[in-house]
Amino acid sequence: MKKVFHLWIVSCVLLLSSVVSAESDLAIEITQGIDEPTPVAIVPFAWSGSSALKENIAQIVSADLGRTGLFSMMDPTTMLSFPTQQDQIYYRDWRLSKTEFLVIGRQIPAEGTQIKVEFELYDVLKEQRLLSERVSGTQDNLRDIAHYISDMIYQKLTGIRGAFSTRIVYVTAQQYGEGKVSYRLKMADSDGARPITIRQQSEPLMSPAWARDGSKLAYVSFESGRPAIYIQYLATGKREKVQSFRGLNGAPAWSPDGNKLAIVLSKDGNPEVYVLDLRSRSLARITHHYGIDTEPSWSPDGQSIIFTSDRGGQPQIYRLQLATRQLERVTYEGNYNSRGRLTHDGRFLAMVHRGDDNVFRIAVQDLKTGRLDTLTDTYLDESPTIAPNGSIILYATQKGVKGVLGGVTLDGNVRFILPATSGDVREPAWSPYLQ
């Protein structure tokens, strides 16, 4: 039996000074999906307990899969039957409703406060069971279990590991009073549910970045009146101020091994990229140019760093090999390319791109072929961050006069918006896998 229980989620509730919102700040709205999504039915799971459950697992799984734009989810009110066991499935009925895949499940009270959840995935056309698993948890873990089930189904149907169980962090800014702004660093499920306020203050917060093990964040805070980089430990709420220098201290990026931060400092008079060893606190400057070098990001193998520089006259993305100090320019198409982020296999580079229309959009470049594709049709798009399975890019954009988060698949076929219930939303960062 597999047990789904993320200790770090429980730990996050214990964050010092954290505030848990009663409602989800973000709600994903699909704005574009593929032309022929695969029909899937998630039958309401049976429950043999005496009291109502806190969460509807089948509903969460259906919402997870539906938000990808790859699947069309059947409305339970149109289902002809509600099977919970294999011998209750009448495939002909499901074929008549044009359902291709069917999920059934059962929720069973177990020892103490535990709940066993059994689920099965069926290919309706082949009348074949594709997946059968049992997981367990408590009432408080039902949403985690649902995301886990979504991950398993998604991987079985697409061949790609799901990322529904991951988390996102983002910054919100909300005006209150006269000329006052409240800034919050928030963390939520990948679907925007269960937001937790990690940090709240009246001075700007920006550039959150996840460590590869998901246990801590680095971000920039202006709480002292000038920019400084902090590390936040999610399990305890402990905050640690990184070495602070005069001038700019910004754009932290974790090395894959979690032992170093690439940061941008202007202590020598010009913004340059440095690498700070968090164990020895030694600092090494890795760029040397009178232009502005900023927005560093590590390659997945930790052997190189990509960054934005205007050393060629306009902002473009460069790659520096750390061992040899060999420098190469990566982007050429367009008059502006910045905020480069690599997929976890290192092949694709997401970025903010401005072409001949002078509109900032999200684009992706295949580093193997050199092909660049513009993925979004909104404007003022910024801060791309990539899901750990490389399937979706999340970014900040504008909807009217309000800052919101947008999402687009790497092929550009599926797009969605995550409007917030309050305040402007910006600076998203997607967590790594957390198990």
Side-chain angles (χ1 to χ4, degrees):
M1 177 185 295
K2 293 187 178 180
K3 180 173 288 188
V4 181
F5 184 79
H6 299 307
L7 291 176
W8 64 274
I9 291 179
V10 176
S11 299
C12 289
V13 179
L14 303 178
L15 281 169
L16 300 178
S17 304
S18 70
V19 179
V20 180
S21 173
E23 298 181 2
S24 173
D25 275 358
L26 304 174
I28 298 177
E29 298 176 359
I30 297 291
T31 59
Q32 175 184 307
I34 61 175
D35 293 336
E36 296 184 7
T38 301
V40 177
I42 313 292
V43 179
F45 286 18
W47 166 235
S48 56
S50 58
S51 59
L53 294 174
K54 293 181 180 179
E55 300 283 358
N56 186 326
I57 288 181
Q59 190 176 74
I60 295 169
V61 173
S62 184
D64 279 347
L65 297 177
R67 277 189 297 268
T68 67
L70 300 175
F71 307 101
S72 62
M73 310 307 298
M74 190 175 188
D75 186 336
T77 62
T78 66
M79 294 179 182
L80 298 177
S81 61
F82 299 93
T84 60
Q85 302 283 351
Q86 183 175 10
D87 59 7
Q88 298 172 354
I89 299 173
Y90 295 96
Y91 292 102
R92 184 183 65 178
D93 291 347
W94 295 102
R95 284 195 293 269
L96 287 174
S97 64
K98 298 183 178 180
T99 299
E100 294 186 21
F101 296 97
L102 175 69
V103 177
I104 63 173
R106 299 162 296 281
Q107 301 161 116
I108 306 164
E111 183 179 353
T113 60
Q114 291 289 301
I115 298 172
K116 291 190 296 184
V117 181
E118 302 170 344
F119 70 96
E120 298 162 19
L121 169 67
Y122 290 89
D123 185 321
V124 173
L125 302 181
K126 296 180 180 179
E127 300 188 9
Q128 178 183 1
R129 187 169 66 185
L130 302 178
L131 187 64
S132 176
E133 279 201 40
R134 179 187 297 173
V135 295
S136 67
T138 67
Q139 282 262 20
D140 294 333
N141 300 131
L142 291 180
R143 181 168 284 272
D144 303 310
I145 291 173
H147 290 320
Y148 171 81
I149 293 172
S150 300
D151 286 336
M152 296 300 98
I153 295 171
Y154 182 86
Q155 182 168 353
K156 192 66 178 180
L157 296 183
T158 68
I160 301 171
R161 184 178 179 182
F164 302 107
S165 297
T166 57
R167 305 278 276 178
I168 58 173
V169 293
Y170 52 93
V171 175
T172 65
Q174 186 172 11
Q175 290 190 344
Y176 69 98
E178 185 174 350
K180 297 181 179 179
V181 179
S182 175
Y183 297 91
R184 291 179 174 90
L185 176 61
K186 290 194 169 189
M187 177 168 57
D189 288 8
S190 62
D191 60 0
R194 298 188 295 185
I196 296 171
T197 297
I198 297 173
R199 178 76 182 172
Q200 180 177 351
Q201 59 189 49
S202 58
E203 298 81 16
L205 292 160
M206 58 193 304
S207 303
W210 288 88
R212 184 64 63 88
D213 64 1
S215 68
K216 50 190 174 292
L217 299 169
Y219 56 88
V220 177
S221 172
F222 284 74
E223 61 198 71
S224 63
R226 52 189 298 271
I229 297 171
Y230 289 81
I231 293 174
Q232 180 103 29
Y233 295 84
L234 298 177
T236 64
K238 175 186 174 183
R239 299 173 74 228
E240 174 187 346
K241 187 177 181 179
V242 177
Q243 286 176 274
S244 184
F245 300 91
R246 64 180 180 86
L248 177 66
N249 295 258
W254 293 91
S255 63
D257 63 9
N259 294 324
K260 300 180 180 69
L261 279 178
I263 57 179
V264 175
L265 304 175
S266 62
K267 67 184 187 69
D268 297 324
N270 193 62
E272 302 282 357
V273 178
Y274 292 75
V275 171
L276 174 66
D277 189 310
L278 295 172
R279 298 164 299 181
S280 66
R281 295 293 168 167
S282 62
L283 187 68
R285 178 173 167 177
I286 65 169
T287 65
H288 300 78
H289 198 273
Y290 57 80
I292 296 174
D293 296 333
T294 186
E295 300 176 335
S297 182
W298 295 77
S299 63
D301 61 7
Q303 300 301 306
S304 63
I305 286 178
I306 61 171
F307 63 96
T308 305
S309 177
D310 66 353
R311 61 182 61 202
Q314 294 176 320
Q316 296 291 342
I317 297 173
Y318 294 77
R319 186 200 325 249
L320 179 68
Q321 299 293 334
L322 295 176
T324 64
R325 290 297 192 264
Q326 179 182 353
L327 181 69
E328 64 173 320
R329 179 172 165 177
V330 178
T331 58
Y332 288 89
E333 186 175 337
N335 54 44
Y336 181 106
N337 292 290
S338 69
R339 194 64 180 265
R341 295 294 183 266
L342 291 164
T343 54
H344 293 270
D345 59 4
R347 175 165 178 175
F348 295 95
L349 175 68
M351 70 192 81
V352 178
H353 169 76
R354 186 177 67 190
D356 295 335
D357 58 2
N358 285 323
V359 176
F360 293 99
R361 294 193 171 97
I362 302 302
V364 64
Q365 182 171 320
D366 186 332
L367 297 182
K368 185 175 181 179
T369 66
R371 173 173 171 169
L372 185 141
D373 293 306
T374 301
L375 303 181
T376 62
D377 57 6
T378 43
Y379 68 100
L380 295 179
D381 300 337
E382 61 182 16
S383 304
T385 180
I386 306 173
N389 63 2
S391 64
I392 295 175
I393 300 171
L394 198 64
Y395 59 96
T397 187
Q398 293 285 124
K399 187 176 183 181
V401 296
K402 195 172 184 179
V404 299
L405 300 185
V408 61
T409 52
L410 210 65
D411 58 12
N413 287 332
V414 178
R415 299 173 186 168
F416 56 85
I417 293 290
L418 293 82
T421 57
S422 60
D424 287 333
V425 187
R426 59 189 68 168
E427 300 272 0
W430 210 312
S431 79
Y433 284 116
L434 299 166
Q435 58 176 344

mmCIF file of all heavy atoms in Angstrom, residues 255-271:
data_model
loop_
_atom_site.group_PDB
_atom_site.id
_atom_site.type_symbol
_atom_site.label_atom_id
_atom_site.label_comp_id
_atom_site.label_asym_id
_atom_site.label_seq_id
_atom_site.Cartn_x
_atom_site.Cartn_y
_atom_site.Cartn_z
ATOM 1 N N SER A 255 21.588 26.825 -7.089
ATOM 2 C CA SER A 255 22.280 25.784 -7.857
ATOM 3 C C SER A 255 21.535 24.467 -7.664
ATOM 4 O O SER A 255 20.823 24.281 -6.676
ATOM 5 C CB SER A 255 23.733 25.647 -7.389
ATOM 6 O OG SER A 255 23.779 25.232 -6.029
ATOM 7 N N PRO A 256 21.685 23.521 -8.586
ATOM 8 C CA PRO A 256 20.968 22.243 -8.449
ATOM 9 C C PRO A 256 21.269 21.495 -7.150
ATOM 10 O O PRO A 256 20.401 20.802 -6.626
ATOM 11 C CB PRO A 256 21.444 21.453 -9.674
ATOM 12 C CG PRO A 256 21.775 22.491 -10.683
ATOM 13 C CD PRO A 256 22.362 23.622 -9.895
ATOM 14 N N ASP A 257 22.486 21.625 -6.620
ATOM 15 C CA ASP A 257 22.817 20.915 -5.380
ATOM 16 C C ASP A 257 22.404 21.680 -4.128
ATOM 17 O O ASP A 257 22.562 21.189 -3.003
ATOM 18 C CB ASP A 257 24.310 20.578 -5.324
ATOM 19 C CG ASP A 257 25.201 21.828 -5.316
ATOM 20 O OD1 ASP A 257 24.683 22.957 -5.180
ATOM 21 O OD2 ASP A 257 26.431 21.664 -5.457
ATOM 22 N N GLY A 258 21.868 22.895 -4.295
ATOM 23 C CA GLY A 258 21.382 23.673 -3.165
ATOM 24 C C GLY A 258 22.451 24.335 -2.327
ATOM 25 O O GLY A 258 22.161 24.949 -1.299
ATOM 26 N N ASN A 259 23.710 24.256 -2.747
ATOM 27 C CA ASN A 259 24.813 24.805 -1.955
ATOM 28 C C ASN A 259 25.235 26.210 -2.367
ATOM 29 O O ASN A 259 26.014 26.850 -1.666
ATOM 30 C CB ASN A 259 26.031 23.884 -2.049
ATOM 31 C CG ASN A 259 25.792 22.546 -1.404
ATOM 32 O OD1 ASN A 259 25.104 22.452 -0.382
ATOM 33 N ND2 ASN A 259 26.340 21.489 -1.979
ATOM 34 N N LYS A 260 24.727 26.685 -3.496
ATOM 35 C CA LYS A 260 25.145 27.987 -3.998
ATOM 36 C C LYS A 260 23.930 28.791 -4.468
ATOM 37 O O LYS A 260 22.891 28.233 -4.830
ATOM 38 C CB LYS A 260 26.120 27.840 -5.167
ATOM 39 C CG LYS A 260 27.403 27.084 -4.859
ATOM 40 C CD LYS A 260 28.289 27.010 -6.098
ATOM 41 C CE LYS A 260 29.581 26.270 -5.830
ATOM 42 N NZ LYS A 260 29.349 24.823 -5.591
ATOM 43 N N LEU A 261 24.101 30.098 -4.459
ATOM 44 C CA LEU A 261 23.130 31.009 -5.043
ATOM 45 C C LEU A 261 23.831 31.857 -6.094
ATOM 46 O O LEU A 261 24.899 32.435 -5.826
ATOM 47 C CB LEU A 261 22.529 31.952 -3.989
ATOM 48 C CG LEU A 261 21.398 31.449 -3.096
ATOM 49 C CD1 LEU A 261 21.023 32.545 -2.104
ATOM 50 C CD2 LEU A 261 20.185 31.043 -3.916
ATOM 51 N N ALA A 262 23.261 31.917 -7.279
ATOM 52 C CA ALA A 262 23.682 32.933 -8.247
ATOM 53 C C ALA A 262 22.869 34.176 -7.933
ATOM 54 O O ALA A 262 21.649 34.106 -7.765
ATOM 55 C CB ALA A 262 23.426 32.453 -9.667
ATOM 56 N N ILE A 263 23.524 35.302 -7.816
ATOM 57 C CA ILE A 263 22.847 36.542 -7.451
ATOM 58 C C ILE A 263 23.394 37.678 -8.303
ATOM 59 O O ILE A 263 24.443 37.552 -8.946
ATOM 60 C CB ILE A 263 23.031 36.872 -5.954
ATOM 61 C CG1 ILE A 263 24.522 36.962 -5.595
ATOM 62 C CG2 ILE A 263 22.339 35.827 -5.094
ATOM 63 C CD1 ILE A 263 24.785 37.310 -4.133
ATOM 64 N N VAL A 264 22.682 38.790 -8.302
ATOM 65 C CA VAL A 264 23.122 39.985 -9.024
ATOM 66 C C VAL A 264 23.463 41.065 -8.004
ATOM 67 O O VAL A 264 22.642 41.401 -7.143
ATOM 68 C CB VAL A 264 22.039 40.485 -9.995
ATOM 69 C CG1 VAL A 264 22.469 41.799 -10.653
ATOM 70 C CG2 VAL A 264 21.754 39.430 -11.063
ATOM 71 N N LEU A 265 24.672 41.575 -8.080
ATOM 72 C CA LEU A 265 25.143 42.631 -7.190
ATOM 73 C C LEU A 265 25.706 43.784 -8.004
ATOM 74 O O LEU A 265 26.253 43.566 -9.091
ATOM 75 C CB LEU A 265 26.249 42.108 -6.265
ATOM 76 C CG LEU A 265 25.935 40.891 -5.387
ATOM 77 C CD1 LEU A 265 27.189 40.443 -4.647
ATOM 78 C CD2 LEU A 265 24.817 41.210 -4.416
ATOM 79 N N SER A 266 25.573 44.977 -7.457
ATOM 80 C CA SER A 266 26.192 46.146 -8.094
ATOM 81 C C SER A 266 27.195 46.797 -7.152
ATOM 82 O O SER A 266 27.469 47.993 -7.250
ATOM 83 C CB SER A 266 25.115 47.163 -8.503
ATOM 84 O OG SER A 266 24.411 47.642 -7.360
ATOM 85 N N LYS A 267 27.754 46.000 -6.253
ATOM 86 C CA LYS A 267 28.665 46.538 -5.248
ATOM 87 C C LYS A 267 29.925 47.143 -5.850
ATOM 88 O O LYS A 267 30.582 47.981 -5.231
ATOM 89 C CB LYS A 267 29.034 45.456 -4.232
ATOM 90 C CG LYS A 267 29.866 44.311 -4.779
ATOM 91 C CD LYS A 267 30.092 43.249 -3.718
ATOM 92 C CE LYS A 267 31.070 42.172 -4.176
ATOM 93 N NZ LYS A 267 32.434 42.705 -4.294
ATOM 94 N N ASP A 268 30.270 46.705 -7.067
ATOM 95 C CA ASP A 268 31.443 47.255 -7.736
ATOM 96 C C ASP A 268 31.073 48.348 -8.730
ATOM 97 O O ASP A 268 31.887 48.742 -9.567
ATOM 98 C CB ASP A 268 32.202 46.136 -8.462
ATOM 99 C CG ASP A 268 32.742 45.097 -7.486
ATOM 100 O OD1 ASP A 268 33.143 45.494 -6.375
ATOM 101 O OD2 ASP A 268 32.748 43.903 -7.827
ATOM 102 N N GLY A 269 29.819 48.804 -8.654
ATOM 103 C CA GLY A 269 29.389 49.922 -9.482
ATOM 104 C C GLY A 269 28.543 49.555 -10.675
ATOM 105 O O GLY A 269 27.960 50.435 -11.311
ATOM 106 N N ASN A 270 28.474 48.274 -11.016
ATOM 107 C CA ASN A 270 27.722 47.843 -12.197
ATOM 108 C C ASN A 270 27.058 46.504 -11.892
ATOM 109 O O ASN A 270 27.662 45.649 -11.240
ATOM 110 C CB ASN A 270 28.672 47.683 -13.391
ATOM 111 C CG ASN A 270 27.926 47.554 -14.701
ATOM 112 O OD1 ASN A 270 27.211 48.471 -15.104
ATOM 113 N ND2 ASN A 270 28.080 46.432 -15.369
ATOM 114 N N PRO A 271 25.808 46.286 -12.333
ATOM 115 C CA PRO A 271 25.171 44.993 -12.075
ATOM 116 C C PRO A 271 25.917 43.850 -12.742
ATOM 117 O O PRO A 271 26.079 43.820 -13.961
ATOM 118 C CB PRO A 271 23.766 45.170 -12.674
ATOM 119 C CG PRO A 271 23.530 46.644 -12.694
ATOM 120 C CD PRO A 271 24.870 47.236 -12.984
#
